[in-house]
Amino acid sequence: GDKMVFLAQLLLPVVFLPLLAGSAWVMAVPAFAVALLAATPSQYSLIYHYPAIMIPFVFVLAILGLQRLNRRPFDRLALAVAILVVGLAMNFSYGWVAGKRPNPFPPSSQHNRILAGFVGEIGRADSVSAMSDLTPHLSNRQSIYLFPVVNNADTVLFDSDVTANYWPFTSDDARGEARDALIPLLVSGDYGLVRQEDGVLLLRRGYDASQNQQAVQELLAARYQAEDLATDLPGGDVTDPEASNGRARLGQPSLIVGQPKQGLVYGPYATLLPGEYQVAYRLKQQGAGSPGAVATVDVFSNAAGGVLASRDIQADDFSAAGLYQDFVIDLNLQQEYHDLEFRVLYKGLGDLWADAITVTPVKVAVPVLDLSDPVQPVDLSGDSADRVLAQSAPQTLIPGLYRAIFTLNADAQTAGKIEVFSATAGGPLAEMALSGHDFAALNQSQSFALDFRIDQSWPDIVLRVLQQDGDALHVERLELQYLYQAAGHGEQ
């Protein structure tokens, strides 16, 4: 049924003239078959571009149908009017130009101009991995990949702006998914940061990785404009030259009358890794005229069962009326969340403007490597008395602090060792001897962690598990985390 409706939509703008084309339809069969034999609805929908291969045949067949119609008398004016009226009506209903769909041309912006400058820096012969909206501008080359596919690309171009198109990532926080796919490239040191501006990163294989740590910090941080987030209150978005983006979300007492919810700002259902963060809410008020709570700012998660951190903002917490001020709350996450909302709950005491919400990482454990099926080496390494049960592939890492996590299972008393090893560095960077007494119970998974620091990049760092004799030790998973710490917050 849907395919019949689609076919009628294609033929209606030319008032079904193609149906008079007779045997000429033979040439259109392949193009129509692609759509009409498809099981995916997008293939036979006017919303998408897939029916484009059918459009030329629609008009050619309409011309041939009209040619056959010319052999008999008919009202040419009526036909012309019908084509004009139906064509305009269909364009209004389904068209992207001068139709009912709100589809303005994308406005030029400073961010887009910066992106264009990055595109211009990439050589025509370079192989590239880039995001969905950037690949069309770089496609005239032999090798190009849609990020997160990287393969052997010389260059990676990434836009971390919250408004960027992160497809094929499709979760509520596609930016978080894309970010988590990019960070291992930076931490591994395979790619070095060439340039970074306004959230746009240009990476090149084999380039100096000394600026990669700064790039990781920028990726872990996020800034959300209040006017881009959801609200429970009607209206409220206003022009404000003092706001960071020229606009702000305004709460007024009249807006909350009869409103069951008071969310001046909420969303965007973000993903944050385990660790410590500071969340700053940039607000201003004109003066309520009386003391009391102006708003509550909090971090909320349905998955966590409610509020993770909050702070009440009192009228006298503002140092001056009419000036923006940051209100900071500390956020400590014990696990990764994918649905975090940064909310400003308005209390209706005077006018309140919300400009932006900034999330800054303090101490965060960033996943770098996760092997549920470690490499099983056959050659002996290290001490001849030790047999290597499993190890990760060699990694090159940027200088910093790391945590290696070994998930093991022992079915008998055993002697072994876990270690972070580099032949180039001359041996283990961290190690721990294990015995049967280190396991709380036999035949149960248990994780052991090794923290280690590197002050320079070694090209062959591996996580490995060794056993002296027997087969009682089993390796289930090897993980590696980069322990990011902001300056001024603990050991660097």
Side-chain angles (χ1 to χ4, degrees):
D2 290 340
K3 292 179 180 179
M4 295 301 294
V5 171
F6 166 68
L7 200 56
Q9 290 171 328
L10 280 181
L11 300 180
L12 183 58
V14 288
V15 293
F16 297 98
L17 284 172
L19 297 181
L20 302 177
S23 60
W25 269 91
V26 172
M27 64 179 174
V29 167
F32 275 71
V34 168
L36 297 179
L37 295 180
T40 305
S42 59
Q43 297 283 334
Y44 48 89
S45 169
L46 293 185
I47 296 176
Y48 300 100
H49 59 281
Y50 302 108
I53 59 172
M54 306 165 70
I55 302 301
F57 296 102
V58 169
F59 284 91
V60 170
L61 292 171
I63 292 170
L64 296 178
L66 182 59
Q67 186 180 49
R68 298 185 74 180
L69 187 62
N70 267 329
R71 298 171 186 171
R72 65 191 73 180
F74 70 96
D75 190 333
R76 287 173 169 76
L77 179 59
L79 179 62
V81 170
I83 291 177
L84 180 62
V85 171
V86 173
L88 290 174
M90 287 292 290
N91 179 74
F92 178 76
S93 298
Y94 299 101
W96 290 96
V97 179
K100 66 180 181 180
R101 299 172 183 268
N103 187 49
F105 286 101
S108 178
S109 67
Q110 179 65 18
H111 185 73
N112 287 341
R113 288 189 286 272
I114 290 172
L115 276 172
F118 275 85
V119 169
E121 291 185 27
I122 300 175
R124 295 290 292 271
D126 291 351
S127 56
V128 179
S129 174
M131 293 166 58
S132 179
D133 281 0
L134 303 177
T135 49
H137 302 279
L138 295 161
S139 58
N140 191 15
R141 60 193 66 242
Q142 183 173 349
S143 298
I144 185 165
Y145 308 101
L146 178 62
F147 187 84
V149 177
V150 175
N151 289 344
N152 61 342
D154 304 317
T155 303
V156 177
L157 183 59
F158 188 88
D159 182 9
S160 65
D161 191 79
V162 293
T163 62
N165 181 0
Y166 291 99
W167 191 88
F169 298 104
T170 57
S171 73
D172 287 339
D173 185 27
R175 178 186 183 274
E177 284 188 289
R179 172 204 65 198
D180 292 350
L182 182 70
I183 286 180
L185 298 182
L186 291 163
V187 176
S188 71
D190 290 340
Y191 289 82
L193 179 67
V194 178
R195 188 160 76 89
Q196 180 176 14
E197 184 180 356
D198 200 33
V200 184
L201 294 87
L202 180 64
L203 312 181
R204 190 157 289 143
R205 184 182 290 276
Y207 195 80
D208 175 25
S210 60
Q211 300 300 313
N212 285 22
Q213 185 183 46
Q214 178 64 28
V216 172
Q217 178 183 5
E218 296 290 335
L219 287 169
L220 291 174
R223 184 177 179 85
Y224 303 101
Q225 296 296 329
E227 66 272 16
D228 294 332
L229 299 177
T231 183
D232 292 322
L233 306 182
D237 287 357
V238 295
T239 300
D240 184 355
E242 297 176 354
S244 55
N245 228 25
R247 292 189 65 78
R249 177 72 50 74
L250 173 60
Q252 296 176 299
S254 61
L255 297 178
I256 67 170
V257 176
Q259 292 291 333
K261 296 182 179 180
Q262 300 175 334
L264 179 64
V265 170
Y266 69 91
Y269 309 99
T271 295
L272 288 185
L273 298 168
E276 299 175 21
Y277 299 83
Q278 288 184 337
V279 185
Y281 300 78
R282 191 167 188 255
L283 309 172
K284 76 174 179 180
Q285 56 102 28
Q286 281 291 13
S290 60
V294 175
T296 297
V297 296
D298 68 20
V299 181
F300 183 89
S301 166
N302 274 312
V307 175
L308 294 168
S310 69
R311 174 181 175 178
D312 290 330
I313 310 297
Q314 304 294 322
D316 54 10
D317 289 335
F318 289 88
S319 57
L323 294 179
Y324 277 108
Q325 184 174 329
D326 284 337
F327 296 90
V328 179
I329 59 177
D330 294 324
L331 177 64
N332 191 347
L333 300 180
Q334 300 300 317
Q335 66 182 69
E336 183 172 355
Y337 288 101
H338 301 275
D339 65 341
L340 293 178
E341 299 180 55
F342 308 106
R343 305 191 305 181
V344 178
L345 305 178
Y346 175 52
K347 303 298 186 181
L349 188 63
D351 293 349
L352 178 70
W353 285 259
D355 175 20
I357 300 169
T358 303
V359 181
T360 303
V362 177
K363 297 180 182 180
V364 183
V366 181
V368 177
L369 176 73
D370 188 348
L371 290 176
S372 57
D373 186 19
V375 176
Q376 306 293 327
V378 295
D379 296 331
L380 292 177
S381 305
D383 300 333
S384 58
D386 293 333
R387 180 166 59 92
V388 180
L389 292 178
Q391 71 178 30
S392 66
Q395 303 286 317
T396 301
L397 305 174
I398 64 174
L401 182 64
Y402 294 84
R403 174 168 295 156
I405 302 173
F406 303 78
T407 303
L408 312 174
N409 183 317
D411 56 19
Q413 297 294 323
T414 183
K417 183 168 64 174
I418 56 176
E419 64 181 16
V420 180
F421 185 88
S422 167
T424 306
L429 302 173
E431 60 183 341
M432 177 191 295
L434 296 176
S435 69
H437 301 294
D438 293 313
F439 289 85
L442 298 179
N443 298 309
Q444 290 187 11
S445 298
Q446 186 166 331
S447 294
F448 301 88
L450 288 179
D451 288 355
F452 66 98
R453 176 186 301 282
I454 57 172
D455 297 319
Q456 67 183 81
S457 294
W458 302 108
D460 57 352
I461 296 175
V462 297
L463 281 59
R464 64 184 195 177
V465 180
L466 302 92
Q467 182 172 328
Q468 290 183 352
D469 51 33
D471 296 310
L473 197 59
H474 306 280
V475 183
E476 297 182 0
R477 185 179 295 270
L478 302 179
E479 300 172 71
L480 181 64
Q481 297 175 344
Y482 173 58
L483 301 181
Y484 169 81
Q485 292 183 342
H489 293 274
E491 186 182 19
Q492 299 302 299

